[in-house]
Amino acid sequence: MKVLHVNNVANVPVGLVEGLRKIGIDASLYQPYTGINTSGKLSKLKVVSNRIADVRALRSKIARERYDIVHIHYAFFGMLGVLGGYPYWLHCHGTDIRRNLYHPLFKTVTKISLDRAERVFYSTPDLKIHAEKARADAMFIPNPIRTELFEPRGFEGTGNKVLLISRIDKIKGIDVAFRALERVKKDNPELQIDALTWGPDLDRFKDCGFVNFIPKMTHEELARLIPNYRVVVGQFELGIMGMSEMESMACARPVVCHFEYQDWYTEAPPLALAKTEDEIVERVEELLEKPDLCEELGFAGREWVVKYHDYVAVAERLAKLYAGG
């Protein structure tokens, strides 16, 4: 079987492609043009021109390479398949249906992309209601975590380091996270709080003074970084775990975040649950004070991710669907 994944969203396709290769499937990843600079007439024309060229290039590649499955990521990118005239499977990841399915500018192309797809997948529990509204047969596929890359490496950090792993984005609940972490810092002046330099709301927080911002890094560098923190802080708005939270769990680090879907899995994920500012402060400070609890929660999280989100297991599940199972 020969499979092409299109558009790398949050490194999910990377994990799926690697997992499929592990089980003997000829899988590869194609990155289409994603430029969105529309300032000025010439820039707008360039975007349109590049997208048209990309549709043609991808269509030619698919015809030449004779793929059995074309698996496209991010809902409105399904238009590549619609315009290219080939069958495709469509994988939804978040804003692409949570917002775009109702957005005046994007809802039409999103709906067409979903309607024309052979199969539709969604990646987090909160997307079920949106995906099934458009496609009653939409199916949940767990996000693949590369558990051989994100693994416990031996805790080499000190007891006073916290990592905010979430993207600096309002939709991730970043405002309540920063308010809580500022209080934690005041209670623990020696504490080092780090965050990654990425996200649309970065400018609002980059000069806050109590957080050290680390330059954005590769996935491999991130896997080496995470194990050196006592506590990892995730997102608090949508009630879900993203790739970053689960990658941190795979590194056996305790994760503080808001998760609403405790019944989604046979076993609830072992998280330090929090939503409000007070709850976040309480959970982080409790973990800082109790190293044994950190290790217990961290290794339980690692076992849970391996059981429910290991990239090879997810790839095996996907391969059965590709084969008609």
Side-chain angles (χ1 to χ4, degrees):
M1 181 182 293
K2 195 171 185 179
V3 177
L4 180 67
H5 280 254
V6 178
N7 194 26
N8 187 21
V9 179
N11 286 302
V12 170
V14 171
L16 292 175
V17 166
E18 288 196 10
L20 290 168
R21 288 173 176 171
K22 281 272 188 179
I23 60 175
I25 290 177
D26 183 358
S28 56
L29 175 62
Y30 176 88
Q31 185 55 48
Y33 176 74
T34 57
I36 57 173
N37 181 10
T38 58
S39 58
K41 291 183 179 180
L42 290 178
S43 294
K44 291 179 181 178
L45 287 173
K46 184 177 181 181
V47 168
V48 172
S49 174
N50 285 339
R51 288 197 185 279
I52 292 172
D54 205 37
V55 169
R56 291 173 175 168
L58 182 55
R59 180 174 58 197
S60 296
K61 178 180 177 64
I62 290 168
R64 182 175 64 253
E65 300 291 339
R66 298 179 180 274
Y67 292 99
D68 298 295
I69 300 286
V70 177
H71 187 144
I72 299 175
H73 295 262
Y74 208 83
F76 66 55
F77 273 86
M79 291 304 295
L80 290 170
V82 174
L83 297 174
Y86 47 81
Y88 63 93
W89 297 38
L90 191 60
H91 204 134
C92 304
H93 291 266
T95 301
D96 55 339
I97 55 170
R98 189 189 302 115
R99 182 197 68 180
N100 290 356
L101 194 56
Y102 315 99
H103 194 285
L105 292 178
F106 302 122
K107 64 181 180 181
T108 299
V109 293
T110 299
K111 188 69 166 59
I112 291 172
S113 296
L114 290 163
D115 287 344
R116 301 282 184 86
E118 299 279 304
R119 296 292 298 267
V120 171
F121 301 130
Y122 59 94
S123 60
T124 54
D126 65 310
L127 300 180
K128 175 181 171 69
I129 187 172
H130 307 292
E132 290 186 351
K133 180 178 181 180
R135 284 285 297 257
D137 61 343
M139 179 181 295
F140 172 69
I141 292 292
N143 279 333
I145 303 301
R146 290 187 283 169
T147 52
E148 295 168 4
L149 174 63
F150 290 88
E151 62 177 352
R153 295 172 182 264
F155 181 65
E156 298 175 357
T158 62
N160 60 346
K161 288 178 67 177
V162 171
L163 176 64
L164 176 60
I165 197 73
S166 175
R167 186 172 74 240
I168 311 300
D169 189 337
K170 184 178 180 180
I171 201 171
K172 302 291 187 178
I174 206 68
D175 291 271
V176 70
F178 268 82
R179 289 196 303 269
L181 290 173
E182 184 174 20
R183 286 173 53 187
V184 172
K185 176 68 173 180
K186 287 180 179 178
D187 293 342
N188 304 269
E190 78 291 347
L191 183 69
Q192 178 179 327
I193 302 175
D194 293 343
L196 299 176
T197 308
W198 69 312
D201 291 311
L202 179 63
D203 286 345
R204 291 201 291 125
F205 297 99
K206 65 181 181 181
D207 297 320
C208 67
F210 60 90
V211 172
N212 173 50
F213 284 95
I214 302 171
K216 193 175 179 182
M217 58 187 63
T218 67
H219 225 201
E220 289 71 23
E221 290 170 333
L222 186 61
R224 292 192 294 270
L225 177 77
I226 292 171
N228 295 309
Y229 289 85
R230 181 69 73 192
V231 179
V232 174
V233 175
Q235 55 183 304
F236 300 98
E237 180 67 26
L238 297 172
I240 59 172
M241 294 179 293
M243 291 288 284
S244 297
E245 285 83 6
M246 289 188 288
E247 287 165 351
S248 299
M249 293 169 71
C251 291
R253 302 321 307 149
V255 174
V256 180
C257 72
H258 173 47
F259 185 70
E260 294 181 351
Y261 299 88
Q262 297 295 313
D263 298 330
W264 191 261
Y265 301 90
T266 304
E267 302 166 276
L271 298 161
L273 294 173
K275 183 178 182 180
T276 68
E277 181 181 329
D278 287 344
E279 289 171 345
I280 298 167
V281 172
E282 182 179 341
R283 300 295 178 272
V284 172
E285 293 190 338
E286 180 184 24
L287 289 166
L288 290 172
E289 293 168 2
K290 299 178 179 178
D292 290 345
L293 178 60
C294 279
E295 297 308 300
E296 178 184 342
L297 192 59
F299 281 101
R302 164 76 184 180
E303 291 179 1
W304 186 90
V305 168
V306 169
K307 184 172 183 178
Y308 291 101
H309 283 269
D310 177 73
Y311 74 119
V312 176
V314 175
E316 288 173 341
R317 178 174 174 178
L318 190 57
K320 289 180 181 178
L321 294 171
Y322 287 159

